[in-house]
Amino acid sequence: MASILDEYEDSLHRSVSVPQSRASVGIPHSGYVNARLEKETPIFNKQRIDFAPPEKINSLVVSSNQLCMSLGKDTLLRIDLGKPDEPNQVELGRKDEAKVYKMFLDHTGSHLLIALNTSECLYLNRSVQKVRALSRWKGHLVESVGWNKFLGSETNTGPILVGTSQGQIYEAEISVSEGSLFSTNPDQYFRQVYTLEEESGPAPVCCLEIERGIEGKFFIIATTRKRLFQFVGKVPEGTEQQGFSSIFAVHADHLPSFREFPANLGFSEIAFYTPKLRSNPRSFAWMMGNGVLYGNLDYSRPDSILSDERVWVYPPDIDITVNKPISIVLTQFHFLLLLPDRVKAVCTLNGQVVFQDLFLEKFGLLTRMIKDPTVQQIWIHTEKVVFRYHVQRESRDVWKMYMNMNKFDLAKEYCKDRPECLDIVLAKEAEHCFQNKRYLDSAKCYALTQNYFEEIALKFIEAKQEEALMEFLIKKLSNLKPSEKTQTTLLTTWLTELYLNWLGVLQGDPSQRNLYLDTREKFRTFLSSPKNKDCLFNNRASIYELLASHGDTEHMVYFAVIMQDYERVVAHHCQHDEYDEALNVLSRHRDEKLFYKFSPVLIQHIPKKVVDAWISMGSRLDARNLIPALVNYSQSASTQQINEAIRYMEFCVYQLEETQQAIHNYLLSLYALCRPDSLLSYLEQAGTNPNRIHYDLKYALRLCAEHGHHRACVHIYKVMELYEEAVDLALQVDVDLAKSCADLPEDDEELRKKLWLKIARHVVQEEKDVKKAMACLSSCALLKIEDVLPFFPDFVTIDHFKEAICNSLEDYNKHIEELKREMEEATQSAKRIREDIQEMRNKYGSVEPQEKCAACDFPLLNRPFYLFLCGHMFHYDCLLQAVFPNLPAYKQAKLEDLQKKLAATSQPSKSHHRPKDADTVSLGKGQQSREQIKADIDDIVAAECVYCGELMIRSIDKPFIDPQKYEEEMQSWL
């Protein structure tokens, strides 16, 4: 184990080595470079708005990117922050000394309420320019407004709640008429629904918030200077427009649930954090005398929406008697407190001040801080200046706080995109789990860190936590890259060793049976994992050695199956006499090479099943490669077992139609050895054509001769056309068999006669049966009595073959008479032929003067010509030109020779006088007459009509244009 650890450490160090150029930066144990390339931007980034108000700023509200600002006594400035260069100024139109006390802007930025210090209230809609007084609201100093985020629209607020300085909560609704600028009464109604009290009596309603939870349940939060009230209830379905009176009516006789704190700022303020637009707030922060009450909002709770509450006291430098906080704003992880000269940001996770921004005196005292919930921007103003804060990457350091609080899941969530921070969290979590003896969880975390592998491994080894070590190695292995082959090999081998050790320990303890089975399943899952397959395959020899050293044959077989090393699996079964299992493996995976290798062993023990398996493989097996197994088996087995070999060979021959000579020869040898009855039928079925016989004739002849199968030998002799040997051997078996052999050479009468004479000699000399000898004469027409007489002994009387002699004489007489008849017929035929010749000489045909040559289409009578019986007529030279190219070469030569002789006889004689019969007389000894030469030429040239005879039929496949003259002909047509 130590050596494996050392090797892995070396390979790991090699794989994560750092170039020298980076050494100055420094690499901690986590393996990440801990250096900042540039100064990080603050979370709260302040920006001064380039705006110089003509009068002092009394109040400022922002919502949905709509900013409303009260300037001086009578001016209202509205700015769409999407179009900051187009401000809109509205005059309140007040002639008295009334001043703006507070302003309230709804979540859509459409409805603006302006509370005056004279207990009056004005209303301004975003779509209009004129401010309207709300007459029903007169006489009430408005401290807070709870907007309806669920029913409100740009022209109608829906039912809203209004808190006054006297502790009353009113329900009201404001609507803008679409037909005219305003309806006569924009405030539809204004009715009291509840009064908030403290121990001294009614107290100002500092804040109001309306939220809706699940199943239509509404939560209303109202605060005074020291108390936080909750009203919970359902509004009947379909009556939402009727307001929240039913919720407050429930608490008419008793106080609702509330939180109370003793200290008092003289006012209080509550802030909410909403993570997404149009979603419910997730957390709250209530600024009151004792500090800030912070918690989450749980809408699933039945009676209270507040959960996980805790009070963060004010920082030590805040004295509520001297510089008490003015406003509060809540972000995801911080709440910001506005003091007269500074802003403090406190982390909601640990209560620590993480940010402080001091404002210069020239800007004046800070008046109010407010957050736009839609764009998450924070606005602060004095009487002269407006500032805006952008919140950037607020969660950047949250992971540290969660980590220090041991909330590792949350810490990992907030640094999942920062691997260097995630590594620190994982290392801290791993160490925490290890200290608390949660070793498996520790191993899982350590495997994800970049800490040195050997340190972690030794840590688990020293703690004697092999199971945790295995978990660590498994996780580490799963995180390796495919290119890290060395590390993968080492981890795989080490894990195999650990699994085998652990299984060995558990197997010997019966009480740990369930754990053993579970570990075994994990080990098998590890071996069969697709990710580890290549590594295990490349190092299977080492794995086999480990398995063998532990004596774990069960997993050796399992591993061999996974590696598809079926040869090892089959060999294992054969070594343990598990022949059926071995055959099952072969049949399941159908590997031909394994069949060839293990068949000699298997067929010795389960021959029938092995042959069945061979047959099921069909043509995939080459039967020639199985013959050695069958030969060894047949030499040591009984006749009954040899039948299995014959069964497979017959399947190959008759079903697969194998033509390999070795297969047929082996089947022939099995037949000769054990089934002589099937031998002859096999030979006869193979036929007598040597070209279609697949066994070796000479081998078959020797085999049959050795085993005394004479009939089979006779058949083979017949196939080999050794008829004399076939007859000689057949005479030793059966005369009828010999007779069937004697008639086989049909085209060789001399041989047939010789074979029949052998049979006759055998019958006469060996069997001494004269009647059977005479029967031979009647069976073969080639034998005569005189042929067999020399075979009889001298003392045989003529009475035995008198009849045969008489029959022979009669046959001779018949033959003589037949010859006479044939001679007479030949004489008559010759006479008729002479008459036909004479008749042909006297035949003639008439030719009209206008007749033309069929070849050249010129007048026929101008030159010598031929007339055929078919009616075609040709000039002599035209017919010669048409016939000559189609004559055989020897006839062309003969024709040229005759033409030369004819030309020689046509030359004039040197004498002045020529005999009258010059054409008919002989030109000399051995020379032909002129008429004879012409007749010979006519026989060649005019033997048949060139158009109607065989010459035309033979020329049907000849091209019209001679191939040698094709190009010339082509050019002539161009």
Side-chain angles (χ1 to χ4, degrees), residues 233-245:
K234 286 187 178 181
V235 176
E237 188 175 355
T239 64
E240 290 86 351
Q241 290 289 351
Q242 298 178 11
F244 306 101
S245 301

Side-chain angles (χ1 to χ4, degrees), residues 586-598:
L586 291 177
S587 301
R588 188 162 54 248
H589 300 288
R590 305 174 73 83
D591 189 331
E592 299 88 349
K593 295 180 180 179
L594 294 182
F595 267 102
Y596 300 147
K597 182 172 183 178
F598 292 100

Side-chain angles (χ1 to χ4, degrees), residues 864-911:
F865 64 89
Y866 289 99
L867 173 63
F868 293 95
L869 295 177
C870 61
H872 288 116
M873 292 168 281
F874 301 91
H875 290 129
Y876 167 76
D877 54 342
C878 293
L879 182 62
L880 179 64
Q881 185 178 1
V883 171
F884 185 82
N886 297 290
L887 291 176
Y890 73 94
K891 283 192 175 183
Q892 290 181 354
K894 183 177 180 181
L895 182 60
E896 290 176 350
D897 184 58
L898 290 172
Q899 286 178 329
K900 290 179 181 180
K901 290 181 179 180
L902 182 63
T905 58
S906 300
Q907 294 177 357
S909 175
K910 293 181 180 180
S911 61

Side-chain angles (χ1 to χ4, degrees), residues 43-44 329-336 345-348 354 394:
I43 294 176
F44 302 100
V329 163
L330 181 63
T331 62
Q332 185 176 5
F333 296 106
H334 302 85
F335 59 82
L336 280 72
V346 180
C347 179
T348 58
V354 298
E394 184 182 4

Side-chain angles (χ1 to χ4, degrees), residues 292-351:
V292 176
L293 177 65
Y294 173 81
N296 296 323
L297 300 178
D298 186 355
Y299 297 92
S300 63
R301 301 180 66 181
D303 54 353
S304 175
I305 194 175
L306 309 180
S307 67
D308 300 330
E309 303 167 54
R310 58 186 176 275
V311 176
W312 295 116
V313 297
Y314 295 121
D317 58 343
I318 296 179
D319 184 358
I320 62 173
T321 62
V322 179
N323 59 341
K324 58 186 177 183
I326 303 170
S327 293
I328 187 170
V329 163
L330 181 63
T331 62
Q332 185 176 5
F333 296 106
H334 302 85
F335 59 82
L336 280 72
L337 296 174
L338 180 68
L339 300 171
D341 61 345
R342 70 193 65 193
V343 173
K344 287 181 177 288
V346 180
C347 179
T348 58
L349 300 178
N350 57 13

Side-chain angles (χ1 to χ4, degrees), residues 656-870:
L656 301 181
E657 298 181 354
E658 286 284 355
T659 59
Q660 297 292 333
Q661 190 178 77
I663 296 173
H664 286 263
N665 287 347
Y666 183 59
L667 179 60
L668 198 66
S669 67
L670 293 175
Y671 280 150
L673 182 63
C674 298
R675 289 190 189 176
D677 295 338
S678 301
L679 175 62
L680 187 59
S681 62
Y682 165 77
L683 295 174
E684 291 174 350
Q685 187 174 354
T688 58
N689 187 347
N691 297 325
R692 295 185 178 180
I693 290 176
H694 304 302
Y695 58 85
D696 188 343
L697 289 170
K698 295 181 180 179
Y699 171 76
L701 181 61
R702 179 174 60 81
L703 194 66
C704 295
E706 288 178 357
H707 291 85
H709 302 309
H710 297 306
R711 287 184 178 273
C713 291
V714 170
H715 178 83
I716 296 171
Y717 277 134
K718 290 192 294 183
V719 174
M720 298 174 69
E721 298 183 354
L722 300 176
Y723 301 115
E724 291 190 42
E725 290 81 353
V727 171
D728 290 340
L729 186 59
L731 290 175
Q732 299 178 20
V733 180
D734 184 7
V735 174
D736 292 334
L737 180 61
K739 290 179 180 179
S740 64
C741 297
D743 284 332
L744 291 177
E746 297 177 354
D747 298 333
D748 192 344
E749 291 187 355
E750 183 178 352
L751 179 58
R752 285 174 58 201
K753 182 176 181 180
K754 181 178 180 181
L755 297 177
W756 276 103
L757 286 175
K758 283 179 177 287
I759 297 171
R761 181 186 294 111
H762 174 80
V763 171
V764 174
Q765 295 180 353
E766 300 296 332
E767 298 185 6
K768 296 182 172 49
D769 190 341
V770 178
K771 292 183 178 181
K772 188 178 286 189
M774 295 301 103
C776 290
L777 292 177
S778 61
S779 299
C780 180
L782 298 178
L783 291 182
K784 305 298 180 183
I785 184 62
E786 59 271 24
D787 296 327
V788 300
L789 282 177
F791 302 145
F792 290 98
D794 295 338
F795 55 84
V796 177
T797 60
I798 197 172
D799 294 338
H800 292 92
F801 39 84
K802 176 180 178 181
E803 183 179 355
I805 294 175
C806 294
N807 291 336
S808 179
L809 292 175
E810 289 178 1
D811 289 340
Y812 279 124
N813 289 332
K814 290 180 181 179
H815 185 60
I816 291 171
E817 292 297 327
E818 186 176 347
L819 289 176
K820 288 181 179 180
R821 187 170 58 255
E822 289 177 356
M823 291 176 64
E824 291 177 358
E825 290 176 356
T827 302
Q828 294 296 327
S829 296
K831 182 178 179 182
R832 286 195 296 273
I833 290 171
R834 283 194 295 271
E835 291 175 354
D836 290 342
I837 292 173
Q838 187 61 37
E839 184 178 354
M840 288 294 295
R841 288 177 177 175
N842 298 327
K843 277 190 176 183
Y844 65 92
S846 60
V847 178
E848 298 295 332
Q850 66 272 17
E851 291 292 344
K852 297 181 179 180
C853 175
C856 65
D857 204 32
F858 281 96
L860 185 69
L861 299 179
N862 291 346
R863 300 196 299 275
F865 64 89
Y866 289 99
L867 173 63
F868 293 95
L869 295 177
C870 61

